[in-house]
């Protein structure tokens, strides 16, 4: 039997996890999350006008950073942090001192499971992160480490230990995370299907990573979780989490780290304007037909053994290959380098030579 299939209480990790929330509005939504979030430290990244006062419900332990703070802390390197876009959330990843990050959008509410019970999304993310991943061979009963599941007949015993999980990608009930064209043709579509499953995304497979219900091991993959240059002054938006997901997955595959998707669900409360979204997305929709093959074929040299080293190597390839698609990618590649430099300045110990715990299979 899989060692992790035994029932055990999930560690709360309250001293090892920060919750990062990007916002432009008062955080009334935290009242609903109070039973699950109150014992954790929050990092709030305020986007937009820094003179606006963001109200946070009483009783929460938090620090709040606005654009003036970002400029003060990073100086000239603040240019790598997006403005007027939720991509600014990655500044919270950089200033955190905790091992784990959970990030959530302010329009995401507590969902209910089919029995009507409130879903503790954070607890499920922690379960996902603390159990191994199995990206080298697919298990048809999905996550073998969950209660009531195991490795099926024919699963190689040599792969049953799994590898460390770096990222846990959660899903959404109600408003699905659709692009603008899909929103326009399906304006009334709602996701009502609760699928009780967690999957490891196989090695060599990319996926669209959504940043609104996401957790990761900051020590294992933090420097790769850069949400790019989006929003104000940039030709593209709403691809911040996608970009981070593609870069992260290539690096996880190289370093022998796992990525899970599925549970937990949150309730995504409101749909953004599809016409505004189309304006932000249209270049991305066009460019992604070249971006995906780029990431599918990207290889990282074996001597790159740290996340930073892998990320800098990827930035060179972005500049050399995607720079031909549009000059924006030359600017983005430079910002990727700036991001790593800023990360290492704020995280000097872990930034030097932390190797992933995973083993790259031969």
């Amino acid at each position: 039997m899989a060692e992790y299939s035994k029932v055990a209480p999930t560690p709360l990790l309250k001293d090892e996890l920060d919750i990062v929330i990007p916002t432009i509005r008062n955080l009334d939504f935290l009242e609903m999350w109070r039973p699950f979030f109150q014992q954790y430290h929050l990092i709030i990244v305020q986007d937009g006008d820094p003179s606006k006062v963001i109200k946070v419900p009483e009783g929460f332990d938090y620090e709040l950073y606005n654009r003036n703070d970002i400029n003060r802390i990073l100086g000239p390197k603040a240019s790598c942090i997006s403005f007027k876009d939720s991509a600014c959330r990655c500044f919270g990843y950089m200033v955190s001192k905790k091992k784990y990050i959970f990030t959530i959008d302010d329009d995401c509410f507590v969902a209910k499971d089919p029995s009507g019970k409130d879903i503790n999304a954070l607890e499920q993310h922690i379960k996902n992160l603390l159990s191994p991943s199995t990206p080298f061979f697919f298990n048809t009963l999905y996550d073998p480490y969950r209660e009531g599941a195991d490795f099926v007949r024919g699963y190689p015993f040599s792969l049953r230990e799994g590898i460390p999980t770096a990222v846990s990608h959660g899903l959404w009930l109600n408003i699905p995370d659709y692009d603008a064209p899909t929103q326009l043709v399906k304006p009334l579509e709602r996701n009502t299907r609760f699928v009780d499953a967690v999957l490891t995304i196989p090695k060599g497979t990319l996926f669209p990573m959504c940043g609104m219900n996401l957790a990761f091991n900051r020590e294992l993959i933090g420097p790769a979780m850069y949400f790019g240059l989006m929003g104000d002054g940039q030709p593209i938006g709403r691809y911040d989490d996608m970009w981070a997901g593609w870069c992260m997955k290539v690096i996880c595959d190289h370093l022998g780290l796992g990525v899970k998707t599925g549970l937990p669900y949150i309730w995504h409360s409101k749909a953004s304007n599809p016409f505004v979204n189309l304006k932000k997305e249209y270049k991305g929709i066009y460019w992604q037909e070249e971006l995906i093959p780029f990431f599918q074929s990207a290889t990282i040299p074996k001597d790159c053994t740290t996340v930073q080293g892998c990320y800098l190597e990827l930035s060179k390839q972005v500049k050399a290959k995607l720079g031909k698609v549009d000059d924006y990618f030359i600017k983005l590649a430079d910002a990727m380098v700036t991001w790593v430099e800023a990360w290492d300045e704020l995280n000097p110990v872990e930034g030097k030579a932390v190797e992933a715990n995973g083993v790259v299979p031969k």
Side-chain angles (χ1 to χ4, degrees):
M1 283 190 64
E3 181 186 339
Y4 290 81
S5 65
K6 296 169 188 167
V7 183
T10 303
L12 294 173
L13 304 180
K14 63 186 177 66
D15 298 321
E16 297 181 75
L17 185 145
D18 278 333
I19 299 174
V20 174
I21 305 167
T23 194
I24 56 170
R25 58 181 66 85
N26 293 336
L27 294 179
D28 301 330
F29 92 114
L30 284 173
E31 283 297 349
M32 180 180 276
W33 287 102
R34 188 181 290 275
F36 306 123
F37 287 3
Q38 189 161 7
Q39 60 189 312
Y40 293 92
H41 179 69
L42 312 181
I43 297 178
I44 299 161
V45 184
Q46 178 181 342
D47 198 16
D49 181 4
S51 67
K52 181 179 177 181
V53 177
I54 300 287
K55 292 180 182 173
V56 181
E58 284 191 21
F60 286 93
D61 170 37
Y62 71 93
E63 53 193 298
L64 187 150
Y65 298 92
N66 60 31
R67 192 69 205 188
N68 294 339
D69 299 316
I70 294 171
N71 291 339
R72 173 177 52 81
I73 292 166
L74 295 184
K77 291 186 174 67
S79 62
C80 73
I81 304 296
S82 299
F83 184 55
K84 294 187 178 175
D85 192 283
S86 65
C88 67
R89 79 177 78 222
C90 62
F91 176 76
Y93 310 161
M94 185 186 278
V95 295
S96 170
K97 300 302 175 194
K98 304 287 176 61
K99 183 175 181 178
Y100 300 98
I101 295 286
F102 169 53
T103 184
I104 186 170
D105 284 6
D106 60 15
D107 62 349
C108 293
F109 300 162
V110 178
K112 293 186 183 296
D113 68 17
S115 73
K117 183 183 173 188
D118 283 352
I119 296 169
N120 184 345
L122 185 47
E123 181 183 45
Q124 180 63 50
H125 275 301
I126 291 169
K127 283 182 180 177
N128 294 348
L129 289 170
L130 294 184
S131 61
S133 291
T134 54
F136 308 128
F137 200 89
F138 190 80
N139 191 52
T140 51
L141 272 185
Y142 311 124
D143 191 337
Y145 305 104
R146 287 188 71 197
E147 182 186 348
D150 213 312
F151 292 100
V152 297
R153 181 170 56 88
Y155 200 101
F157 281 85
S158 59
L159 294 176
R160 293 190 183 196
E161 271 189 30
I163 60 171
T165 301
V167 176
S168 170
H169 176 257
L171 298 174
W172 349 269
L173 293 171
N174 196 35
I175 307 291
D177 187 28
Y178 285 162
D179 53 34
T182 310
Q183 278 184 296
L184 286 165
V185 297
K186 291 182 165 184
L188 301 179
E189 185 152 294
R190 299 294 179 265
N191 183 33
T192 58
R193 292 191 309 150
F194 179 95
V195 180
D196 186 11
V198 179
L199 305 169
T200 293
I201 299 174
K203 184 181 182 188
T205 300
L206 297 173
F207 74 109
M209 186 176 82
C210 171
M212 70 172 129
N213 172 23
L214 181 72
F216 60 93
N217 184 322
R218 188 175 167 278
E219 289 181 3
L220 285 183
I221 199 63
M225 299 297 278
Y226 174 48
F227 276 46
L229 287 177
M230 303 282 152
D232 194 49
Q234 309 302 338
I236 185 174
R238 283 173 57 83
Y239 271 84
D240 51 331
D241 41 9
M242 301 295 134
W243 180 263
W246 298 329
C247 293
M248 172 277 295
K249 187 59 166 62
V250 169
I251 291 171
C252 280
D253 284 352
H254 173 75
L255 293 176
L257 297 169
V259 180
K260 292 182 177 181
T261 187
L263 301 180
Y265 283 92
I266 51 82
W267 179 270
H268 187 205
S269 65
K270 67 175 192 284
S272 44
N273 186 312
F275 296 100
V276 173
N277 289 349
L278 187 60
K279 194 174 179 183
K280 293 177 179 178
E281 288 174 3
Y282 82 97
K283 285 197 172 180
I285 291 169
Y286 175 66
W287 285 339
Q288 72 185 13
E289 301 306 319
E290 297 195 55
L291 298 183
I292 301 303
F294 163 77
F295 283 106
Q296 286 174 327
S297 61
T299 56
I300 297 172
K302 282 191 174 179
D303 60 358
C304 288
T305 56
T306 65
V307 176
Q308 285 93 328
C310 293
Y311 201 72
L312 292 173
E313 172 61 31
L314 210 46
S315 74
K316 290 178 196 168
Q317 296 181 27
V318 167
K319 182 173 273 191
K321 295 180 180 176
L322 295 181
K324 297 171 186 171
V325 174
D326 193 274
D327 286 347
Y328 164 74
F329 292 101
I330 297 173
K331 188 162 71 165
L332 178 54
D334 289 338
M336 292 168 74
V337 175
T338 304
W339 160 265
V340 168
E341 290 171 351
W343 183 284
D344 284 351
E345 280 183 20
L346 292 182
N347 302 278
V349 177
E350 64 186 28
K352 289 198 176 143
V354 177
E355 297 203 8
N357 293 337
V359 177
V360 181
K362 292 173 184 171

